[in-house]
Amino acid sequence: MQTTVEPIRGTNDPVQSLELSLVVPIFNEEESVGPLVERVVAAMSAYPDQWELILVDDGSTDATLVNARKFVGREGLTLRIVELQRNFGQTAAMQAGIDTARGRLIATMDGDLQNDPKDIPSMVAELERRELDLLVGWRKNRKDGLFLRKIPSWCANYLIGRITGVKLHDYGCSLKIYRASIIKQVKLMGEMHRFIPAWVAGVVPSSRIGEMAVTHHAREHGVSKYGISRTFRVILDLLSVMFFMRYKARPGHFFGSLGLGLGAIAMLILLYLGFDKFIMGNDIGTRPMLMVGVVLLLSSVQMITTGILAEMIARTYYRDDASPNYIVRQIFDDQSQA
């Protein structure tokens, strides 16, 4: 069951005046979570408004949760820890944090100490100055391996920008600032956290999405959760993004267009063979072109009927789209420690 946070209506309630929620998904980061919290507290010490830190433990199997809970109740820190029932993946963990967030603005970052929380106040100021709905971090001087990380990332960023139309240098940077009212209209699924700017572009104009150069550090503890195999998953996810951005509300147009195209080719082939058979008197029973025409005709019918079924599924999806893609076991905060 998903744990929901009910809004508290009170003029003096600090929750109501929260300006910023910082969401950090963590998975097996027992050595990093302590320094992470300390760096966040230090970076946000001069931030003038109310803020909270939300750590989402994505089913860690080490001491990550234990180490994180040591900071609950610390003076000067509003910390909430969302413990997921098992490992659901970074996208689901990020969605859980966003759903739990109570701030007017939401910041997200990785928990491996490669993002620098010192960039958050300046990113918030930049988002407000430019009146953006999403500000994406750009790891301009990225501290990663060239062949396994940088080159695949450059290729992926180029392809994503070309297909989605949202031109950014760095789609993969987790350090982002959102307006909560916008990002909460977007439901993240699968491994689609890499394409958040593309999903947001489906809610607001791309002109309200910007980027800003941020600091990037080399990993200090643990090992990366990503490898070269991620490149292939990105390509598959990119195809899904392209489909959903263009045909999510009208999948029948996608399958129907393919069906009509195949049907047109099939009709041309069969008309030619019909002319050859009935006008020219030639035998067509053993010609491979006849089989090709029949297969294309059947494929056309199949594509069109698939489009009709996809339209029915899409309408069901829009009518009932409230199921979460994660399960919360427990939430730890100041109240739970009291």
Side-chain angles (χ1 to χ4, degrees):
M1 173 179 290
Q2 177 186 3
T3 302
T4 57
V5 180
E6 296 294 335
I8 302 175
R9 306 178 188 278
T11 55
N12 297 319
D13 197 320
V15 171
Q16 190 180 39
S17 61
L18 272 174
E19 181 70 9
L20 176 67
S21 295
L22 174 55
V23 174
V24 186
I26 50 178
F27 175 64
N28 288 349
E29 299 286 0
E30 61 181 0
E31 296 178 307
S32 300
V33 66
L36 169 69
V37 176
E38 296 288 358
R39 292 183 189 184
V40 168
V41 172
M44 301 299 292
S45 59
Y47 186 68
D49 299 309
Q50 295 290 324
W51 62 278
E52 66 175 351
L53 173 62
I54 300 174
L55 300 178
V56 184
D57 178 52
D58 189 23
S60 296
T61 56
D62 58 7
T64 297
L65 180 61
V66 174
N67 293 343
R69 289 185 60 185
K70 295 176 182 178
F71 294 91
V72 175
R74 173 173 171 169
E75 184 177 356
L77 172 64
T78 302
L79 173 64
R80 311 183 79 203
I81 302 174
V82 180
E83 180 191 4
L84 300 189
Q85 188 163 296
R86 62 172 176 82
N87 178 249
F88 289 90
Q90 185 175 355
T91 301
M94 192 173 292
Q95 181 71 69
I98 290 172
D99 291 343
T100 306
R102 301 170 293 183
R104 184 181 68 88
L105 302 176
I106 297 176
T108 59
M109 61 179 289
D110 283 334
D112 55 11
L113 303 179
Q114 290 192 270
N115 296 139
D116 196 330
K118 291 181 180 179
D119 290 318
I120 293 176
S122 57
M123 290 184 72
V124 170
E126 183 71 5
L127 178 130
E128 297 287 20
R129 185 185 69 81
R130 296 166 59 182
E131 298 183 351
L132 301 173
D133 291 321
L134 167 60
L135 183 64
V136 181
W138 172 20
R139 297 167 293 183
K140 195 171 184 179
N141 297 311
R142 186 171 176 176
K143 308 300 182 181
D144 281 323
L146 177 63
F147 293 102
L148 294 181
R149 301 297 297 275
K150 287 185 179 180
I151 292 178
S153 179
W154 292 336
C155 296
N157 289 327
Y158 174 77
L159 289 174
I160 295 170
R162 286 289 301 232
I163 291 177
T164 63
V166 182
K167 305 296 185 180
L168 297 174
H169 289 90
D170 190 357
Y171 265 82
C173 183
S174 295
L175 185 54
K176 299 180 177 70
I177 310 291
Y178 318 80
R179 295 192 189 275
S181 59
I182 300 300
I183 190 58
K184 291 195 176 188
Q185 297 179 42
V186 179
K187 183 174 181 179
L188 306 178
M189 301 179 67
E191 295 187 9
M192 297 302 184
H193 60 276
R194 307 183 190 97
F195 305 100
I196 287 179
W199 295 123
V200 172
V203 179
V204 300
S206 58
S207 59
R208 295 189 65 88
I209 300 173
E211 64 180 348
M212 172 180 166
V214 297
T215 305
H216 189 247
H217 301 288
R219 173 178 275 274
E220 297 181 16
H221 306 286
V223 296
S224 174
K225 309 301 189 297
Y226 302 104
I228 192 66
S229 61
R230 183 180 65 162
T231 303
F232 303 104
R233 296 199 298 270
V234 167
I235 294 174
L236 295 176
D237 289 341
L238 184 56
L239 294 176
S240 299
V241 169
M242 181 179 66
F243 176 82
F244 275 96
M245 287 189 68
R246 299 181 182 179
Y247 300 103
K248 179 180 178 181
R250 46 188 180 92
H253 288 201
F254 174 77
F255 292 103
S257 299
L258 290 177
L260 291 176
L262 293 175
I265 297 173
M267 291 304 299
L268 289 175
I269 292 175
L270 294 178
L271 285 174
Y272 168 76
L273 292 176
F275 174 82
D276 201 27
K277 169 69 176 178
F278 297 109
I279 303 300
M280 305 302 295
N282 296 322
D283 182 20
I284 64 171
T286 58
R287 297 180 63 175
M289 188 176 290
L290 177 62
M291 181 62 69
V292 172
V294 172
V295 170
L296 289 176
L297 183 61
L298 293 176
S299 299
S300 171
V301 173
Q302 186 177 28
M303 284 292 179
I304 292 173
T305 53
T306 300
I308 295 172
L309 292 175
E311 288 283 348
M312 297 172 64
I313 294 172
R315 280 154 177 73
T316 303
Y317 171 83
Y318 278 111
R319 186 173 64 247
D320 184 18
D321 186 28
S323 58
N325 57 343
Y326 59 89
I327 302 174
V328 173
R329 182 188 298 276
Q330 190 174 356
I331 293 181
F332 303 93
D333 55 17
D334 296 339
Q335 285 71 31
S336 66
Q337 293 292 101

